[in-house]
Amino acid sequence: MKIDPNTTLKRLRNHYRLVVMNEDTYEEVVKFKLTRSSVYIAMSAVFVIMISLTVALIIFTPLKYYLPGAGYSSAKEVRQLKILKMRTDSMENALRLQHTYYDNLQNVLKGTTSTLDTTLLTLPKLENSED
C-alpha cells in the first residue's frame, strides 16, 4: 500500500470543528475551527515554549547550583564535599566500633559472654636434665 503525498497534504488542510458543549443543556460553550496542520503547529509551539521556559528557569535562576551534573560547583566546594564524606565515613566507623565495645562490655558485666575461649594450649614439655 503506497501513501500518496497529495492525499496526505490534503488531509493536513481539511477543516474540522471542535465544539465544547454543556452536558446538561447541550448548549455550545466554545467552538474552534481547526486543521491538522494548525494543531501540529500549535502543539509544536507549546513544546518549544515549555522547553525554552525550563531552560531559562535553570540558566537565569540559582536552580543551576542544585543540579549535580551541571558543573557549576567550584573546586573549593568539591574539595569540601570530599572532606565531609571522609569525615562522615570515619565517624560512622567510630560509632560502629563504640557500639560493639559497649555491647561487649555490657555482656561481660552481666556475665553472659557470647564466645568462650576453647583453644587448647600445647605447652612444650620441659626436660629435666638432672643427670
Side-chain angles (χ1 to χ4, degrees):
M1 179 175 156
K2 289 188 175 183
I3 296 176
D4 189 19
N6 292 329
T7 58
T8 305
L9 290 175
K10 284 181 185 178
R11 268 192 270 144
L12 285 177
R13 285 183 254 151
N14 286 343
H15 292 280
Y16 298 95
R17 182 183 305 188
L18 176 65
V19 178
V20 178
M21 300 177 75
N22 187 346
E23 188 175 326
D24 296 330
T25 62
Y26 295 111
E27 177 186 358
E28 290 184 3
V29 178
V30 179
K31 60 181 168 183
F32 300 101
K33 291 182 181 177
L34 303 171
T35 62
R36 287 186 184 191
S37 62
S38 67
V39 172
Y40 291 144
I41 290 171
M43 295 300 267
S44 299
V46 168
F47 180 73
V48 168
I49 289 171
M50 293 295 288
I51 295 296
S52 301
L53 286 176
T54 304
V55 168
L57 183 71
I58 291 172
I59 290 175
F60 297 118
T61 62
L63 285 176
K64 62 185 166 192
Y65 296 113
Y66 295 107
L67 297 176
Y72 288 108
S73 58
S74 65
K76 181 180 177 182
E77 290 173 350
V78 171
R79 188 171 46 252
Q80 287 176 346
L81 181 64
K82 287 180 182 179
I83 290 170
L84 285 175
K85 282 183 180 181
M86 288 190 308
R87 284 184 183 172
T88 304
D89 288 343
S90 64
M91 287 176 71
E92 284 177 351
N93 283 336
L95 184 64
R96 186 176 39 80
L97 291 173
Q98 197 173 30
H99 278 294
T100 305
Y101 173 76
Y102 285 135
D103 289 342
N104 290 338
L105 184 64
Q106 205 172 27
N107 286 337
V108 167
L109 291 176
K110 286 181 182 178
T112 58
T113 55
S114 59
T115 58
L116 297 175
D117 187 14
T118 58
T119 57
L120 295 175
L121 296 176
T122 55
L123 299 173
K125 292 185 180 180
L126 296 175
E127 294 180 17
N128 291 339
S129 55
E130 294 181 8
D131 292 321

